[in-house]
Amino acid sequence: MKLKHKNLLGLKDYAREEIEFILEQAQTFKEINYRPIKKVPALRGKTVVNLFFEPSTRTRTSFEIAGKRLSADVVNFSASQSSLTKGETLADTARNIEAMKPDLLVVRSSSAGVPEMLARLISTPVINAGDGFHEHPTQALLDLFTVQEKKGEIEGLKIAIVGDIRHSRVARSNIYGFSKLGAEVVVVGPPTMIPPGIEKLGCKVSYDLDLVIPEMDVIMMLRIQLERGSARFFPSLREYSRLYGLNEKRLSRAKKDVLIMHPGPVNRGVELSPEVADGPYSVILEQVENGVAVRMALLYLFCGGVDEALT
Ligand code: CP
């Protein structure tokens, strides 16, 4: 099977079969990360440009490691060191980078729609590495991969996504991804942080975390995004944490095999207590680990990797 899309801008337009195909591919790439020499020549001669206009630890590093493990040349573009600071437009920046003949652009922006705008302007494939409040498809794919690996299958699971749904690109991509794969998704948070009409994306809504916890197979906690003005939507961090933070007491009512997820970065003591973040139900670092395998699969698929070069 080949992907129908030239770009990965979000999971909204991806079919279940395409998502499952990416997850299957990621499974084959995961093993490479356990070899003594973690490198295969699958993308030798290919160039991947990480075009990050917003800070990132996990996504940027993970794309860089994924590219290097496949022998691609990975170039990290830093907005603060670029001619954007001299007034060059985003469009001109992308056109100039395309003129250097990369094989793929990985784009992160604080503005929704930037990866799509660039994908319309240039012919190089674009992967969205997170755009504003819109989507973060590679995060959702690694979340799906992690849940599938831990639970065996996603069909029929109950997933709670908790917190600042309004400002969360991770929530949107995960609602699409988990519901397409047959899970039941409920978003949970204060009414001010749940946009009206979110049910149309394929989820239920609850404002009461304690009511939801005992039913769930997976609880995905979201970061309170102070840099995007989240604090205007609740009285205080203490109040938010009291009602929607996950601590050991609250977690004691969950299923015994519940998975606790978080895309990172974690605000310790706000959305998760340190005991829960580092506790036995947490798969936060497994999510990060799986991010490399998922991004290896994506780079391979979007750059036209060579099958014979995987050994
Ligand atoms: N999960 C995530 O996108 O983290 P970064 O912002 O560190 O990339």
Side-chain angles (χ1 to χ4, degrees), residues 52 54-62 108 129-130 136 138-139 142-143 169-170 223 227-228 262-265 287-288 295:
F52 276 54
E54 186 201 78
S56 164
T57 296
R58 281 147 289 271
T59 313
R60 197 198 60 73
T61 311
S62 163
R108 154 78 58 106
H136 194 346
T138 69
Q139 177 69 44
L142 73 88
D143 292 338
R169 55 196 179 207
V170 174
R223 182 170 68 90
E227 80 282 11
R228 293 192 191 142
H262 193 298
Q287 291 172 260
V288 177
R295 289 172 178 128

Side-chain angles (χ1 to χ4, degrees), residues 14 16 43 49 52 71 77 83 115 132-133 141 146 149 167 174 204 226 235 239 256 259 268 273 286 309:
Y14 270 61
R16 175 179 183 145
L43 293 184
V49 179
F52 276 54
S71 304
F77 167 93
S83 292
F133 304 168
L141 287 165
T146 304
E149 188 174 60
H167 296 105
N174 269 306
K204 296 181 178 172
L226 297 169
E239 175 78 357
K256 293 299 162 226
L259 300 182
R268 284 175 179 258
S273 71
E286 281 156 274

Side-chain angles (χ1 to χ4, degrees), residues 9 22 63 72 76 79 91 108 110 116 141 157 179 183 192 212 237 251 280 293 310:
L9 303 175
I22 294 168
F63 266 113
N76 289 309
R108 154 78 58 106
S110 55
E116 183 169 349
L141 287 165
L157 293 179
S179 58
T192 50
V212 162
L237 280 180
L251 189 58
L310 285 178

Side-chain angles (χ1 to χ4, degrees), residues 110-240:
S110 55
S111 302
V114 165
E116 183 169 349
M117 181 196 85
L118 297 184
R120 285 175 198 270
L121 270 178
I122 60 178
S123 58
T124 309
V126 172
I127 292 182
N128 178 2
D131 63 327
F133 304 168
H134 177 227
E135 280 220 42
H136 194 346
T138 69
Q139 177 69 44
L141 287 165
L142 73 88
D143 292 338
L144 290 164
F145 184 91
T146 304
V147 171
Q148 186 167 273
E149 188 174 60
K150 302 297 278 187
K151 295 283 189 188
E153 67 173 337
I154 289 168
E155 180 86 45
L157 293 179
K158 293 189 174 180
I159 320 281
I161 305 179
V162 183
D164 185 358
I165 309 298
R166 177 184 287 271
H167 296 105
S168 179
R169 55 196 179 207
V170 174
R172 291 170 74 90
S173 289
N174 269 306
I175 293 168
Y176 291 130
F178 278 102
S179 58
K180 281 173 197 250
L181 267 57
E184 187 182 299
V185 180
V186 54
V187 296
V188 186
T192 50
M193 300 185 111
I194 299 192
I198 187 97
E199 296 92 335
K200 290 192 199 123
L201 303 191
C203 61
K204 296 181 178 172
V205 171
S206 172
Y207 305 118
D208 188 339
L209 180 57
D210 290 311
L211 200 66
V212 162
I213 280 181
E215 303 288 316
M216 293 298 127
D217 300 295
V218 176
I219 303 175
M220 181 183 295
M221 304 302 290
L222 299 175
R223 182 170 68 90
I224 285 296
Q225 304 190 30
L226 297 169
E227 80 282 11
R228 293 192 191 142
S230 295
R232 283 181 282 134
F233 292 86
F234 48 79
S236 68
L237 280 180
R238 181 198 277 256
E239 175 78 357
Y240 177 84

Side-chain angles (χ1 to χ4, degrees), residues 16-45:
R16 175 179 183 145
E17 297 69 38
E18 287 178 288
I19 295 172
E20 287 174 338
F21 175 62
I22 294 168
L23 300 182
E24 271 166 36
Q25 294 286 307
Q27 189 59 55
T28 67
F29 283 99
K30 182 159 177 171
E31 172 270 322
I32 295 169
N33 297 309
Y34 286 91
R35 294 183 189 172
I37 297 172
K38 305 176 194 62
K39 204 171 182 83
V40 292
L43 293 184
R44 195 162 51 196

